[in-house]
Amino acid sequence: MNLGYSEAEKRFRAEVRQWLRENLPADPRPLDGPESVAFDLAWQRKQYDGGWAGINWPKEYGGLGLSFSQQLIWHEEYARANAPQIGSLFPACNHAGPTLILRGSEAQKAFHLPRILRGESVWCQGFSEPNSGSDLASLRTKGVVDGDQLVVTGQKVWTSYAQHADYQELLVRTNPDAPKHNGITWVICDMKLPGITVRPILSMAGEYHCNEVFYDDVRIPLSNVVGEIDDGWQVAMCTLSLERGQSFIARQIVLEHKVRKLIDLARATPSAHGIGMALDDGDFAQRLATLQSEVSALKSMTYIAVSQAQRQEMPGPEGSMIALYYSELAQRVFRMSMEVMGPAGLEIRSHDDWNWEFLNSFKFTITGGTAQIRRNIIGERVLGLPR
């Protein structure tokens, strides 16, 4: 991989930097609720109107059709500018939309992709169930074909942003007699359909991020099926590969900036021993240096992933290595921030607060596949080890 940037890419970086400097929202993103969603949609619309939405999405659906390298530059400058988190648009922009690009019908892409880029629709992911989290293929929410409709009954859980979502990427079992990986269907579910009940769940970080979702004879048009009936496992693997790989790129870059801020925090915070600053503590300094080395290694892994993405349509299982390393490293970073701060910052005011980041980081080794599941994927699909 060529680690240098071309003159055109350098000009692109300068344009991105200038636009972000001139257009960042003046107010911070609200912590939770409809206000945070309205903020996300308005900011996405502003990016779209400015010509910066969907950097590497196809032009025919509203994207810019640029390279993954330019997408990486956008993420780097976005983090550098301390721009708002993507929030409620994460499922739509990072795995629902890209899944439709790879596996959706022309009608599905033409309808949904421009709406996502314009900030007109929020998506959620209906994969996990109360007894089907890590073993996703054991899901039991059923879909029965009735004429030109799929009638869905069952329950999903840990569904991020379901209470605000317009659409859902939903997995249902359509053939109970088939082997469990073969009888699943991936379908677009309109969250406003009759028979859907959403119950928000309060997280330890103090927000209603996740939800339970119940389906009582919900009728979904068969035209909403992505791929084929009973072939949803292959589509789901595409979605999960995106979620575990490319969708983490922005988070990885942000984490590098967080470590720099953590070092500045340690430089400005009095030591718990009452002598000098936290950074003067030899143990703290050594551990911070280790974290800085680790985020540098993560950055190298990100560059490799971007290089591979430019040569293959479908993300490979290597994304699980990045997702695993990121999730455990992020927890170490934010745990360290609590040690540096001590009791000084207990009140959560925004998503930029260290204590909110610390509480939120506990989910990283669970969501999108537990750390144990990711290790299995790495062992079996990357290293070729026996099951």
Side-chain angles (χ1 to χ4, degrees), residues 66-111:
L66 301 179
S67 68
F68 276 101
S69 293
Q70 288 164 302
Q71 179 72 74
L72 177 63
I73 290 170
W74 168 266
H75 287 318
E76 288 177 338
E77 292 302 317
Y78 196 91
R80 179 183 178 275
N82 197 31
Q85 296 185 28
I86 193 170
S88 59
L89 292 179
F90 184 92
C93 292
N94 287 297
H95 40 83
T99 298
L100 293 181
I101 290 172
L102 293 175
R103 301 299 299 268
S105 68
E106 286 303 314
Q108 291 164 350
K109 288 187 280 190
F111 180 84

Coordinates of all heavy atoms in Angstrom, one line a residue, residues 66-111:
L66 N -16.4 8.7 -4.6 CA -14.9 8.8 -4.5 C -14.3 7.6 -3.8 O -15.0 6.6 -3.6 CB -14.6 10.1 -3.6 CG -15.2 11.4 -4.2 CD1 -14.9 12.6 -3.2 CD2 -14.6 11.7 -5.6
S67 N -13.0 7.6 -3.6 CA -12.3 6.4 -3.1 C -12.4 6.2 -1.6 O -12.7 7.2 -0.9 CB -10.8 6.5 -3.5 OG -10.2 7.6 -2.8
F68 N -12.0 5.0 -1.2 CA -11.9 4.8 0.3 C -10.8 5.7 0.9 O -10.9 6.0 2.1 CB -11.6 3.3 0.5 CG -12.9 2.5 0.5 CD1 -13.2 1.7 -0.5 CD2 -13.7 2.5 1.6 CE1 -14.4 0.9 -0.6 CE2 -14.9 1.7 1.7 CZ -15.2 0.9 0.6
S69 N -9.8 6.0 0.2 CA -8.7 6.9 0.7 C -9.3 8.3 1.0 O -9.0 8.9 2.0 CB -7.6 7.0 -0.3 OG -6.9 5.8 -0.5
Q70 N -10.2 8.7 0.1 CA -10.8 10.0 0.4 C -11.8 9.9 1.5 O -12.0 10.9 2.3 CB -11.4 10.6 -0.9 CG -10.4 11.0 -1.9 CD -11.0 11.2 -3.3 OE1 -11.5 10.2 -3.9 NE2 -10.9 12.3 -3.9
Q71 N -12.5 8.8 1.6 CA -13.3 8.6 2.8 C -12.5 8.6 4.1 O -12.9 9.2 5.1 CB -14.1 7.2 2.7 CG -15.0 6.9 3.8 CD -16.2 7.8 3.9 OE1 -17.1 7.6 3.1 NE2 -16.3 8.7 4.8
L72 N -11.3 8.0 4.1 CA -10.4 8.0 5.2 C -10.0 9.5 5.6 O -10.0 9.9 6.7 CB -9.2 7.1 5.0 CG -8.1 7.1 6.0 CD1 -8.7 6.5 7.3 CD2 -6.9 6.3 5.6
I73 N -9.7 10.2 4.5 CA -9.3 11.6 4.8 C -10.4 12.4 5.4 O -10.2 13.2 6.4 CB -8.9 12.3 3.4 CG1 -7.6 11.7 2.9 CG2 -8.8 13.8 3.6 CD1 -7.2 12.1 1.5
W74 N -11.7 12.2 4.9 CA -12.8 12.8 5.6 C -12.9 12.5 7.0 O -13.1 13.3 7.9 CB -14.1 12.4 4.8 CG -15.3 12.8 5.6 CD1 -16.1 12.0 6.4 CD2 -16.0 14.1 5.6 NE1 -17.1 12.7 7.0 CE2 -17.1 14.0 6.4 CE3 -15.8 15.3 4.9 CZ2 -18.0 15.0 6.7 CZ3 -16.6 16.3 5.1 CH2 -17.7 16.2 6.0
H75 N -12.8 11.2 7.4 CA -12.9 10.8 8.8 C -11.7 11.4 9.6 O -12.0 11.8 10.8 CB -12.8 9.3 8.9 CG -14.0 8.6 8.4 ND1 -15.3 9.0 8.8 CD2 -14.2 7.4 7.7 CE1 -16.2 8.2 8.2 NE2 -15.6 7.2 7.6
E76 N -10.5 11.5 9.1 CA -9.4 12.1 9.8 C -9.7 13.5 10.1 O -9.4 14.0 11.2 CB -8.1 11.9 9.0 CG -7.6 10.4 8.9 CD -6.4 10.3 8.1 OE1 -6.1 11.1 7.2 OE2 -5.7 9.3 8.3
E77 N -10.1 14.3 9.1 CA -10.4 15.7 9.3 C -11.6 15.9 10.2 O -11.7 16.9 10.9 CB -10.5 16.4 7.9 CG -9.3 16.4 7.1 CD -8.1 17.1 7.9 OE1 -8.4 18.2 8.5 OE2 -7.0 16.6 7.8
Y78 N -12.6 15.0 10.1 CA -13.8 15.1 10.9 C -13.4 15.0 12.4 O -13.9 15.7 13.2 CB -14.7 14.0 10.5 CG -16.2 14.2 11.0 CD1 -17.1 14.8 10.2 CD2 -16.6 13.6 12.2 CE1 -18.4 15.0 10.6 CE2 -17.9 13.8 12.6 CZ -18.8 14.4 11.8 OH -20.1 14.6 12.3
A79 N -12.5 14.0 12.7 CA -12.1 13.8 14.0 C -11.2 15.0 14.5 O -11.3 15.5 15.6 CB -11.3 12.5 14.2
R80 N -10.4 15.5 13.6 CA -9.5 16.6 13.9 C -10.3 17.8 14.3 O -9.9 18.6 15.2 CB -8.6 16.9 12.8 CG -7.6 18.0 13.0 CD -6.8 18.3 11.7 NE -5.9 19.4 11.8 CZ -6.3 20.7 11.6 NH1 -7.5 20.9 11.3 NH2 -5.4 21.7 11.8
A81 N -11.4 18.0 13.6 CA -12.3 19.2 13.8 C -13.2 19.0 15.1 O -13.9 19.9 15.4 CB -13.1 19.5 12.6
N82 N -13.1 17.8 15.7 CA -14.0 17.5 16.8 C -15.5 17.7 16.4 O -16.3 18.2 17.2 CB -13.7 18.4 18.0 CG -14.3 17.9 19.3 OD1 -14.4 16.7 19.5 ND2 -14.6 18.7 20.3
A83 N -15.8 17.2 15.3 CA -17.2 17.3 14.7 C -18.1 16.3 15.5 O -17.6 15.4 16.1 CB -17.2 17.0 13.3
P84 N -19.4 16.6 15.5 CA -20.3 15.8 16.3 C -20.3 14.3 15.9 O -20.1 13.9 14.7 CB -21.7 16.4 15.9 CG -21.4 17.7 15.4 CD -20.1 17.6 14.7
Q85 N -20.6 13.4 16.9 CA -20.8 12.0 16.6 C -21.9 11.8 15.7 O -22.9 12.6 15.6 CB -21.0 11.2 17.9 CG -19.8 11.3 18.9 CD -20.1 10.4 20.1 OE1 -20.8 9.4 20.0 NE2 -19.4 10.7 21.2
I86 N -21.9 10.7 14.9 CA -23.0 10.4 13.9 C -24.3 10.1 14.6 O -25.4 10.2 14.1 CB -22.5 9.3 12.9 CG1 -23.5 9.3 11.8 CG2 -22.4 8.0 13.7 CD1 -23.0 8.4 10.6
G87 N -24.2 9.5 15.8 CA -25.4 9.3 16.6 C -26.4 8.4 16.0 O -26.1 7.3 15.6
S88 N -27.6 8.8 15.9 CA -28.7 8.0 15.5 C -28.6 7.6 14.0 O -29.4 6.7 13.6 CB -30.1 8.7 15.7 OG -30.1 9.9 15.0
L89 N -27.7 8.2 13.2 CA -27.6 7.8 11.8 C -26.5 6.7 11.6 O -26.2 6.4 10.5 CB -27.3 9.1 11.0 CG -28.4 10.1 10.9 CD1 -28.0 11.3 10.1 CD2 -29.7 9.4 10.3
F90 N -25.9 6.3 12.7 CA -24.9 5.2 12.6 C -25.4 4.0 11.8 O -24.7 3.5 10.9 CB -24.3 4.9 13.9 CG -23.2 3.9 13.9 CD1 -21.9 4.3 13.8 CD2 -23.4 2.5 13.8 CE1 -20.8 3.4 13.7 CE2 -22.3 1.6 13.8 CZ -21.0 2.1 13.7
P91 N -26.5 3.4 12.2 CA -27.0 2.2 11.5 C -27.3 2.4 10.0 O -26.9 1.6 9.2 CB -28.3 1.8 12.3 CG -28.1 2.4 13.6 CD -27.4 3.7 13.4
A92 N -27.9 3.6 9.7 CA -28.2 3.9 8.3 C -27.0 4.1 7.5 O -26.8 3.5 6.4 CB -29.1 5.1 8.2
C93 N -26.0 4.9 8.0 CA -24.9 5.3 7.2 C -23.8 4.2 7.1 O -23.0 4.2 6.2 CB -24.3 6.6 7.7 SG -25.4 8.0 7.4
N94 N -23.7 3.4 8.2 CA -22.5 2.5 8.3 C -22.8 1.1 8.0 O -21.8 0.3 7.7 CB -21.9 2.7 9.7 CG -21.2 4.0 9.8 OD1 -20.2 4.2 9.1 ND2 -21.7 4.8 10.7
H95 N -24.1 0.6 8.1 CA -24.3 -0.8 7.6 C -25.6 -1.0 6.8 O -25.6 -1.8 5.9 CB -24.1 -1.8 8.7 CG -24.6 -1.5 10.0 ND1 -26.0 -1.7 10.4 CD2 -24.0 -1.0 11.1 CE1 -26.1 -1.3 11.7 NE2 -25.0 -0.9 12.1
A96 N -26.7 -0.3 7.1 CA -27.9 -0.5 6.3 C -27.7 0.0 4.9 O -27.9 -0.8 3.9 CB -29.1 0.2 7.0
G97 N -27.2 1.2 4.8 CA -27.0 1.8 3.4 C -26.0 1.0 2.7 O -26.2 0.6 1.5
P98 N -24.8 0.8 3.2 CA -23.8 0.0 2.5 C -24.2 -1.5 2.2 O -23.9 -2.0 1.1 CB -22.6 -0.1 3.5 CG -22.7 1.2 4.2 CD -24.2 1.4 4.4
T99 N -25.1 -2.1 3.0 CA -25.6 -3.4 2.7 C -26.5 -3.3 1.4 O -26.4 -4.2 0.5 CB -26.4 -4.0 3.9 OG1 -25.5 -4.2 5.0 CG2 -27.0 -5.3 3.5
L100 N -27.3 -2.3 1.4 CA -28.2 -2.1 0.2 C -27.4 -1.8 -1.0 O -27.7 -2.3 -2.1 CB -29.2 -0.9 0.4 CG -30.2 -1.2 1.5 CD1 -31.2 0.0 1.6 CD2 -31.1 -2.4 1.2
I101 N -26.3 -1.1 -0.9 CA -25.4 -0.9 -2.1 C -24.9 -2.2 -2.6 O -24.9 -2.4 -3.9 CB -24.2 0.1 -1.7 CG1 -24.7 1.5 -1.4 CG2 -23.2 0.1 -2.8 CD1 -23.7 2.4 -0.8
L102 N -24.6 -3.1 -1.7 CA -24.0 -4.4 -2.2 C -25.0 -5.4 -2.6 O -24.8 -6.2 -3.5 CB -23.1 -5.0 -1.1 CG -21.8 -4.2 -0.8 CD1 -21.1 -4.8 0.4 CD2 -20.9 -4.1 -2.0
R103 N -26.2 -5.4 -1.8 CA -27.1 -6.5 -2.0 C -28.5 -6.1 -2.3 O -29.4 -7.0 -2.6 CB -27.1 -7.4 -0.7 CG -25.8 -8.0 -0.4 CD -25.2 -8.9 -1.4 NE -26.1 -10.1 -1.7 CZ -26.0 -11.2 -1.0 NH1 -25.1 -11.4 -0.1 NH2 -26.8 -12.2 -1.3
G104 N -28.9 -4.8 -2.3 CA -30.2 -4.4 -2.5 C -30.6 -4.4 -4.0 O -29.8 -4.3 -4.9
S105 N -31.9 -4.4 -4.2 CA -32.4 -4.2 -5.6 C -32.3 -2.8 -6.0 O -32.1 -1.9 -5.2 CB -33.9 -4.6 -5.6 OG -34.7 -3.7 -4.9
E106 N -32.4 -2.5 -7.3 CA -32.3 -1.2 -7.8 C -33.4 -0.3 -7.2 O -33.2 0.9 -6.9 CB -32.4 -1.2 -9.4 CG -31.2 -1.7 -10.1 CD -29.9 -0.9 -9.7 OE1 -30.0 0.4 -9.6 OE2 -28.9 -1.5 -9.4
A107 N -34.6 -0.8 -7.1 CA -35.7 -0.1 -6.5 C -35.4 0.3 -5.0 O -35.7 1.4 -4.6 CB -37.0 -0.8 -6.6
Q108 N -34.8 -0.7 -4.3 CA -34.5 -0.4 -2.9 C -33.4 0.7 -2.8 O -33.5 1.6 -1.9 CB -34.1 -1.7 -2.2 CG -35.2 -2.7 -2.0 CD -34.7 -4.1 -1.7 OE1 -33.5 -4.4 -1.8 NE2 -35.6 -5.0 -1.3
K109 N -32.4 0.6 -3.6 CA -31.3 1.5 -3.6 C -31.8 2.9 -4.0 O -31.5 3.9 -3.3 CB -30.2 1.1 -4.5 CG -29.4 -0.1 -3.9 CD -28.2 -0.5 -4.7 CE -28.5 -1.3 -5.9 NZ -27.3 -1.8 -6.6
A110 N -32.6 3.0 -5.0 CA -33.1 4.3 -5.5 C -34.0 5.0 -4.5 O -33.9 6.2 -4.4 CB -33.8 4.1 -6.8
F111 N -34.7 4.2 -3.7 CA -35.6 4.8 -2.7 C -34.9 5.2 -1.5 O -35.0 6.3 -1.0 CB -36.8 3.8 -2.4 CG -37.7 4.4 -1.4 CD1 -38.8 5.2 -1.8 CD2 -37.6 4.1 0.0 CE1 -39.7 5.7 -0.9 CE2 -38.5 4.6 0.9 CZ -39.5 5.4 0.5

